[in-house]
Structures are given as C-alpha cells and as structure tokens.
Amino acid sequence: MIISNSFIQSTRARHSDFTTSKDDEPLIVQFAASTSEDLVDATRLVVPYCDGVDLNCGCPQRWAISEGYGACLIHKPHLVADMIRQTRNYVVDQGFTVSVKLRLHKDHKKTVDFARQIEAAGASFITVHGRTQEQRSEPVSYNAIHDIKKAVRIPVIANGDIRTLEDAHRIHDATEVNGVMAARGILDNPAMFAGYDFTPLECVKDWLDLALSSGTHFSCFHHHLIYMLNKSLTRAEKKHFNVLGSASGVLTFLNEKYCI
C-alpha cells in the first residue's frame, strides 16, 4: 500500500516505495488515497510501468483511518465511486485495471450495495477481505463474500485466512469467487499455491537470483527472507539473521546454514 499523497510530492518516496523491472508482470500497484485527484495523479506516475492500480479501502490501522485512508472509505461510497470513475476515465487503455480492495460493513448488505456502486463506477474487479474494520483474528465471513460475488458481474477475489493451498480451495468452494488473495501466508511461503507447507530451499534460491539480478533494495531483499525462513530457523538463528545489515552478511549466513 503506497501513500498516494507522499508518492506524488516526493521523489524520495517514489524511489523508496516503488521499484520494478520489465519482467515484473502482470503488476498492480496499490495506493492509499483520500481524494480523486491524488489517486489520478499517483496513477499517472505508474501507468507506464504496471498493468493496473488498486485502491485500498481495507486497511484497518488507526493511522490510516485518521488520515482518511483504508477501511474508513467503505463509509464514503460516493467518494470511492468518484475516485474509480476519474481514474478509469484518465487511463485510455481499457486493458489497464482499476480495482478496489475492501473490508466488510457490520451490516453486510451495505457492503453489497457498496460493491454495486464500485462496479457501476467502472471498477475492473473487487477484492473482499472477509472481516469488518474492527475485526482482526475472528473467522472470515464466507457468506458475506458469497453475497457480494452474487451481486456483481465483475470478478470478485476473496482474501483472509489463506495460509495453505487447502485454505484457498476451501474459500473458493464456499464463496464461488473468481480467485483468492493471500498476504501473510504468501510472505511466509511463496510456494504455497504450489502445495508446499513451508518455503522450500529452491524457492529461497529463486528469490536470491531474482533479487540480486534486479538490484532489489536490501531492506526488501532481507525482509522477504525473514518471512521465508521463519519456520526453518531456531530462535537464536532468527535473532542473528534478522539484524544482519548487508547482502554479503545474508549470503554468508545462508551459505553456512544451507550451503547456497
């Protein structure tokens, strides 16, 4: 989730928050925005480098809510519809997607109405995290996601509590959605959708090759490895690995631990 206002105003923020390569496709860039102008202006900056933009209407963190970002936007359907409409009108290429990720209202019928308004404004697809703004670890509402799927014609993606391939199949069967999205689960195990229970060593090797060949910033390079190795390192090893400050230090550790 990239903060659109900062992204527009600061070259440093753009360099810090958004890097890609010609092989990174399809790529969708997600923005937090509180005005139509900000979303359009942020989109203008990334259009040449991606295949779509997504508006975050789901982040429940207090700082985001206080700034008018994230989940608070589900209570501002007319604003969100205008943000989608103006962004859709700005991008001539109809193959470029403009989508929304949202959370549920306490009254799920309001979320269905919200989804219909988003569709009418020209959204390409909708992702639904099956919890309300206040919920954190409560079970995802499959029924609410299913109701939204049935109410709109555009594709609906389900999100929440997907940590294994079996979870993905289960939520798909329960909701009849067009796809599923994983966050923490795919960070912990990028090979999850291939059926692996934890990150295989081959996946770690692939990440090293991709990151080093594309010049990925160290913080991103290291951060993803911290997630991937979470289940395979001892507590003492995690403590040491997590504070490493250079790519050479990381590579030395991995060579000594895994001979890679």
Side-chain angles (χ1 to χ4, degrees), residues 33-62:
S34 58
T35 70
S36 300
E37 292 77 13
D38 278 356
L39 183 59
V40 171
D41 287 344
T43 299
R44 174 176 53 82
L45 294 171
V46 299
V47 162
Y49 312 106
C50 67
D51 303 283
V53 294
D54 186 79
L55 174 63
N56 187 304
C57 296
C59 180
Q61 297 181 69
R62 290 182 180 178

Side-chain angles (χ1 to χ4, degrees), residues 13-174:
R14 290 196 288 276
H15 290 168
S16 172
D17 293 346
F18 181 68
T19 58
T20 185
S21 70
K22 62 181 181 180
D23 298 319
D24 189 12
E25 59 178 2
L27 174 66
I28 294 176
V29 181
Q30 187 187 76
F31 287 111
S34 58
T35 70
S36 300
E37 292 77 13
D38 278 356
L39 183 59
V40 171
D41 287 344
T43 299
R44 174 176 53 82
L45 294 171
V46 299
V47 162
Y49 312 106
C50 67
D51 303 283
V53 294
D54 186 79
L55 174 63
N56 187 304
C57 296
C59 180
Q61 297 181 69
R62 290 182 180 178
W63 71 265
I65 302 298
S66 67
E67 295 292 331
Y69 301 137
C72 69
L73 290 173
I74 67 173
H75 305 293
K76 302 176 181 179
H78 296 297
L79 171 60
V80 173
D82 186 66
M83 294 166 82
I84 296 302
R85 188 176 298 108
Q86 290 203 36
T87 305
R88 180 72 279 165
N89 289 341
Y90 171 76
V91 184
V92 177
D93 181 6
Q94 291 302 305
F96 187 91
T97 63
V98 179
S99 54
V100 176
K101 183 181 179 185
L102 56 86
R103 277 190 175 236
L104 303 175
H105 298 78
K106 291 181 180 179
D107 180 354
H108 296 166
K109 292 182 181 178
K110 290 185 178 180
T111 317
V112 170
D113 291 339
F114 184 48
R116 286 172 170 157
Q117 288 176 283
I118 292 171
E119 177 183 37
S124 306
F125 64 89
I126 299 170
T127 301
V128 183
H129 182 93
R131 294 186 176 94
T132 66
Q133 176 182 328
E134 296 74 23
Q135 292 177 321
R136 294 297 184 270
S137 58
E138 292 84 349
V140 166
S141 175
Y142 292 170
N143 288 338
I145 298 174
H146 183 261
D147 288 345
I148 294 167
K149 166 59 184 171
K150 290 298 184 183
V152 298
R153 295 183 296 275
I154 57 176
V156 174
I157 312 299
N159 174 240
D161 288 351
I162 300 174
R163 295 182 179 273
T164 67
L165 183 59
E166 290 73 22
D167 291 338
H169 287 308
R170 181 172 62 254
I171 195 168
H172 173 262
D173 292 342

Side-chain angles (χ1 to χ4, degrees), residues 120-260:
S124 306
F125 64 89
I126 299 170
T127 301
V128 183
H129 182 93
R131 294 186 176 94
T132 66
Q133 176 182 328
E134 296 74 23
Q135 292 177 321
R136 294 297 184 270
S137 58
E138 292 84 349
V140 166
S141 175
Y142 292 170
N143 288 338
I145 298 174
H146 183 261
D147 288 345
I148 294 167
K149 166 59 184 171
K150 290 298 184 183
V152 298
R153 295 183 296 275
I154 57 176
V156 174
I157 312 299
N159 174 240
D161 288 351
I162 300 174
R163 295 182 179 273
T164 67
L165 183 59
E166 290 73 22
D167 291 338
H169 287 308
R170 181 172 62 254
I171 195 168
H172 173 262
D173 292 342
T175 62
E176 301 182 58
V177 289
N178 303 91
V180 298
M181 179 185 291
R184 182 61 181 268
I186 207 73
L187 288 172
D188 286 341
N189 178 15
M192 181 180 74
F193 288 135
Y196 289 87
D197 294 328
F198 56 89
T199 305
L201 190 57
E202 192 63 32
C203 187
V204 175
K205 292 178 181 178
D206 285 345
W207 172 239
L208 295 179
D209 291 341
L210 285 168
L212 296 175
S213 65
S214 62
T216 300
H217 192 279
F218 174 74
S219 61
C220 179
F221 168 68
H222 187 213
H223 189 69
H224 282 291
L225 286 170
I226 289 172
Y227 276 110
M228 290 186 211
L229 300 175
N230 182 53
K231 293 182 179 179
S232 62
L233 298 180
T234 65
R235 180 175 297 181
E237 287 172 334
K238 289 178 188 177
K239 186 176 181 180
H240 173 65
F241 183 79
N242 292 0
V243 297
L244 291 174
S246 68
S248 61
V250 168
L251 294 174
T252 297
F253 178 95
L254 294 176
N255 183 53
E256 292 175 352
K257 173 71 176 178
Y258 301 107
C259 297
I260 58 174

